[in-house]
Amino acid sequence: MTAIPARVLPLPMEPDEDPPGRGDPDSRIAGILDFIHRRLAGEYEVDEFGFDAELNDKVLLELLRPLYRHWFRVETVDISNVPDTGGALVVANHSGTLPLDGLMLQVALHDDHPARRPMRALGADLVYKLPVIGHLARKSGHTLACPEDADRLLRGGELVGVFPEGFKGIGKPFSERYHLQRFGRGGFVASAIRAGVPIVPCAIVGAEEIYPKIGDFPALARLLGVPYIPITPLFPWFGVLGLIPLPSKWLIGFGTPIRTDELSPAVADDPMAVFNLTDQVRESVQQLLEELLPRRGPAFPPLA
Amino acid sequence: MTHTVLVTGVSRYIGARVAGALAADPKISRVIGVDTTPPLSLLTGEGVPLGRTEFVRVDLRSPDIAEVIEAADIDVVVHMSLVSAPVRGGGRVPMKEHNVIGTMQLLAACQRSAAVRRVVVRSTSAVYGSSPTDPAVFTEDVEPVEAPHSGYGKDATEVEGYVRGFARRRPDVTVSLLRFVNLMGPGVDSPITRYLRQPVVPTVFGFDPRLQFIHEDDAVEVLRRMASEDHPGTFNVTGDGVMLLSQCVRRAGGVSVPVPSPGFRILSAVARRAGLVEFSPEQLRLLSHGRAVDGGRLAAELGRRPGYDTAAAFEDFLRSRQAAGNLPLRLVDGFADLITAR
């Protein structure tokens, strides 16, 4: 019997980049300067949607992380239901007057998912008409909600996020919190069927309380061409301060994926089948919301 | 079998290069180049060598083109004379006449001819327009959300309409319609290359459009293949990948100055008056919303992807010129040197 030579087992590697706050100060400064150098020299890459992965991770998400960790204290539930690789469609409820729920879901999937997946959300065209916001959205990986883009992202193996309630969901009054609105026209389901990717139901608990909408200014909103201008307990009475979201406690949960790869792609052209699957997805999101809501407990724990 | 090829727009850079490439092909018996002005190589001996290309001075708007096609027994027509911007001192009206009426005359002559078997038309991705409600990437089958209603994009949309009409009436002729993104390379002189060459580049505040380029060598190769083989259909022609305008400006070493969009409109009107840069409204839209197209169909048809992707084409363009300073970059590097020297 031959002796097995002793081997040095490789230790699990540290993640490539140091998390913020670690490493010695000099190398951190050098890293930051190197980052700025590359940005100013234009030495970075974007994909065909305009997604700038480095800017997203190092700057855009970095700005959201304090909000995610300390302000909303977001916890995720069953995030392993989101596949590690390949195309998938995350379908979530939409609430909170301003789309912070989308941003927090993006941080959750990027930072708390083992595969650190960038979420490519499909947004309203209003977003892309606005200067600054529209292009930050593109750099952050998001794109316009249209079948061409949804198909292209899903076929390319990306993780796509949709909020099918749209403005009906995010702009609903506080009294209707945690009641799902109608789910668009089911275009997202057709895209998932065409690409044969799983649909992952997602419930976001906590966003309903950040800007409780108790009224709005319909005439002013029409004048400005926006869907609504909210009245909350703090806005517009406290001006800019009224824009600070209330620090509610958040849970983001993911349900069992609904498979579409067993369906023929032709099903995407059968409106009845698409409606039925849309209803099934909506049911799962509503059910998940009702499970998570008691689990989260009071919206503002220190006050309870 | 041998071919006699007609190349329109031969006095402009890319037209001359395609004519030169076709003239170098022994399988092609004659190359006849037409344009309204003689090519530079005939006038001064400089510029792109045209090889054995025969030049005929023809205004496409006149029926003379039919005589050329008839007399020379042309069997392949490569139509590349669409102009993207009014010539200096000209205006929008002669540009539109040249583009649209010129194409109509040419196609009318082709329809009459018994010899023409293949027509290749250089169009532009500007036919997709540019708006915030566009899909991120256009394939050939996507209808534009907002069809371009002015300038080059509108001309090209009309030209494409006539080309489709011709293809219907002469189903025996192979018609290839090529939608090119912006050409890029050392020899290219276009509104976008002139714009990116400036040391200070005004950009539209709050917008960072996605741009795509096709390298001139790849463009010539695509047009050469299209002229010598049958590839019917409509194809996007682009280098792989996209670049943001901010990346282009930074890699070029320029400084971008964001100007709010109404101010940008005024600025570009002033620049146009002063004869500095020529910017049409649809180019302004491109600089706000950008555009990307999918070149997959052409790659599958030709069995070849462009040799240069968008970024490489831009890099080759930059190599041909004096790099500007990139002041912000030098400041940061100077600061970095200070710190590390400490």
Side-chain angles (χ1 to χ4, degrees):
Chain A
M1 187 180 151
T2 51
I4 299 163
R7 285 184 306 158
V8 179
L9 289 173
L11 289 168
M13 293 295 283
E14 283 283 303
D16 291 345
E17 64 250 65
D18 277 343
R22 287 177 58 186
D24 69 299
D26 271 0
S27 71
R28 275 192 66 207
I29 291 175
I32 291 169
L33 284 171
D34 179 55
F35 173 73
I36 297 175
H37 172 97
R38 275 182 296 111
R39 299 307 301 184
L40 288 177
E43 288 161 9
Y44 49 90
E45 303 298 324
V46 297
D47 78 358
E48 57 189 5
F49 292 86
F51 174 41
D52 185 335
E54 184 188 46
L55 184 77
N56 187 46
D57 182 26
K58 300 273 165 59
V59 180
L60 301 176
L61 291 185
E62 194 61 31
L63 293 172
L64 295 173
R65 280 175 187 130
L67 210 56
Y68 181 86
R69 303 235 173 273
H70 305 298
W71 194 255
F72 297 130
R73 295 141 291 152
V74 184
E75 284 174 43
T76 56
V77 179
D78 296 332
I79 199 163
S80 55
N81 277 328
V82 177
D84 285 355
T85 55
L89 185 70
V90 174
V91 179
N93 59 316
H94 209 15
S95 61
T97 309
L98 289 180
L100 291 184
D101 50 354
L103 300 177
M104 294 301 118
L105 178 59
Q106 189 189 358
V107 180
L109 290 166
H110 188 276
D111 287 7
D112 290 350
H113 191 275
R116 293 177 70 83
R117 299 202 67 174
M119 179 186 76
R120 319 292 299 263
L122 303 179
D125 51 3
L126 175 67
V127 172
Y128 297 94
K129 287 180 178 152
L130 300 172
V132 184
I133 307 276
H135 284 258
L136 282 181
R138 281 217 175 277
K139 285 179 185 183
S140 199
H142 310 315
T143 189
L144 183 75
C146 63
E148 292 88 357
D149 287 8
D151 291 351
R152 201 174 179 85
L153 284 166
L154 289 173
R155 291 206 181 109
E158 299 286 346
L159 180 64
V160 176
V162 288
F163 301 88
E165 295 171 273
F167 289 118
K168 298 186 299 296
I170 191 171
K172 67 181 178 293
F174 188 60
S175 56
E176 287 176 36
R177 59 191 178 277
Y178 299 113
H179 285 289
L180 278 188
Q181 304 295 301
R182 190 171 60 78
F183 259 24
R185 278 165 279 182
F188 65 96
V189 166
S191 285
I193 296 172
R194 276 194 294 270
V197 300
I199 299 174
V200 185
C202 168
I204 301 174
V205 172
E208 295 277 15
E209 291 92 4
I210 59 174
Y211 301 109
K213 183 175 162 232
I214 50 181
D216 60 9
F217 301 103
L220 188 59
R222 260 200 303 281
L223 191 70
L224 295 177
V226 294
Y228 52 84
I229 292 179
I231 301 174
T232 76
L234 299 180
F235 184 86
W237 331 114
F238 291 86
V240 181
L241 285 180
L243 291 176
I244 298 173
L246 298 179
S248 53
K249 166 75 185 171
W250 286 38
L251 284 188
I252 300 183
F254 299 88
T256 316
I258 300 167
R259 291 179 62 172
T260 66
D261 54 343
E262 291 150 337
L263 300 170
S264 132
V267 173
D269 296 323
D270 176 357
M272 192 52 81
V274 171
F275 280 136
N276 288 340
L277 192 53
T278 308
D279 275 348
Q280 191 192 337
V281 176
R282 190 176 173 279
E283 283 297 309
S284 344
V285 176
Q286 181 72 62
Q287 213 180 336
L288 198 55
L289 268 177
E290 280 155 19
E291 275 170 41
L292 289 185
L293 202 49
R295 206 163 141 180
R296 191 263 316 243
F300 302 98
L303 301 179
Chain B
M1 102 160 249
T2 57
H3 293 299
T4 307
V5 184
L6 177 84
V7 178
T8 70
V10 76
S11 297
R12 296 188 310 135
Y13 178 72
I14 201 73
R17 285 211 47 192
V18 171
L22 291 170
D25 185 343
K27 288 197 290 294
I28 290 169
S29 53
R30 279 176 87 188
V31 180
I32 296 173
V34 296
D35 211 324
T36 45
T37 53
L40 201 61
S41 58
L42 284 188
L43 290 174
T44 63
E46 289 167 24
V48 182
L50 287 172
R52 56 197 171 91
T53 305
E54 302 156 55
F55 176 72
V56 184
R57 185 167 180 167
V58 178
D59 188 337
L60 282 189
R61 286 168 296 177
S62 72
D64 297 349
I65 187 69
E67 284 172 33
V68 176
I69 289 179
E70 211 51 54
D73 241 4
I74 301 286
D75 61 346
V76 178
V77 174
V78 183
H79 181 39
M80 302 198 292
S81 74
L82 296 202
V83 294
S84 60
V87 285
R88 194 155 296 174
R92 181 68 188 110
V93 176
M95 168 184 163
K96 187 179 176 73
E97 288 247 315
H98 175 93
N99 286 344
V100 180
I101 309 297
T103 303
M104 287 177 76
Q105 287 284 2
L106 178 72
L107 291 175
C110 291
Q111 194 175 328
R112 274 286 180 82
S113 159
V116 171
R117 295 190 305 106
R118 190 180 297 144
V119 173
V120 179
V121 178
R122 177 196 164 188
S123 180
T124 164
S125 63
V127 296
Y128 296 115
S130 185
S131 91
T133 46
D134 284 339
V137 184
F138 281 103
T139 55
E140 288 84 350
D141 304 320
V142 179
E143 289 291 318
V145 177
E146 275 176 54
H149 37 68
S150 68
Y152 185 36
K154 183 173 186 230
D155 287 1
T157 305
E158 290 180 9
V159 162
E160 287 200 356
Y162 292 118
V163 171
R164 274 189 289 272
F166 170 78
R168 265 197 308 277
R169 287 189 292 270
R170 283 291 303 269
D172 55 315
V173 176
T174 304
V175 178
S176 313
L177 192 55
L178 305 173
R179 293 176 178 159
F180 280 82
V181 298
N182 285 302
L183 285 171
M184 193 50 73
V188 180
D189 180 39
S190 68
I192 193 91
T193 61
R194 284 196 289 278
Y195 171 74
L196 289 169
R197 264 198 196 111
Q198 304 171 104
V200 176
V201 183
T203 58
V204 185
F205 171 78
F207 292 99
D208 196 2
R210 291 165 301 131
L211 304 173
Q212 281 177 315
F213 306 122
I214 177 83
H215 191 272
E216 51 185 78
D217 294 353
D218 288 319
V220 170
E221 174 61 12
V222 167
L223 284 158
R224 191 193 65 76
R225 290 275 306 270
M226 286 284 168
S228 23
E229 303 158 17
D230 277 341
H231 299 287
T234 303
F235 303 95
N236 293 329
V237 188
T238 179
D240 290 340
V242 306
M243 280 180 82
L244 299 178
L245 176 60
S246 61
Q247 280 181 299
C248 297
V249 174
R250 288 169 188 178
R251 289 187 190 180
V255 177
S256 59
V257 180
V259 181
S261 116
F264 197 90
R265 230 157 268 151
I266 297 166
L267 197 72
S268 66
V270 170
R272 191 160 56 229
R273 293 268 154 68
L276 290 175
V277 223
E278 203 71 53
F279 263 108
S280 52
E282 89 267 10
Q283 279 161 327
L284 291 187
R285 291 177 68 81
L286 180 66
L287 288 183
S288 302
H289 305 298
R291 181 196 312 126
V293 301
D294 183 335
R297 184 189 281 183
L298 182 73
E301 178 78 23
L302 296 184
R304 171 185 186 275
R305 299 199 85 84
Y308 292 81
D309 63 12
T310 289
F314 190 68
E315 207 183 308
D316 195 43
F317 159 72
L318 290 182
R319 257 199 295 276
S320 68
R321 52 178 278 276
Q322 195 79 34
N326 201 341
L327 188 66
L329 182 64
R330 277 192 310 203
L331 285 176
V332 166
D333 286 351
F335 181 65
D337 288 345
L338 273 181
I339 295 214
T340 44
R342 191 181 46 164

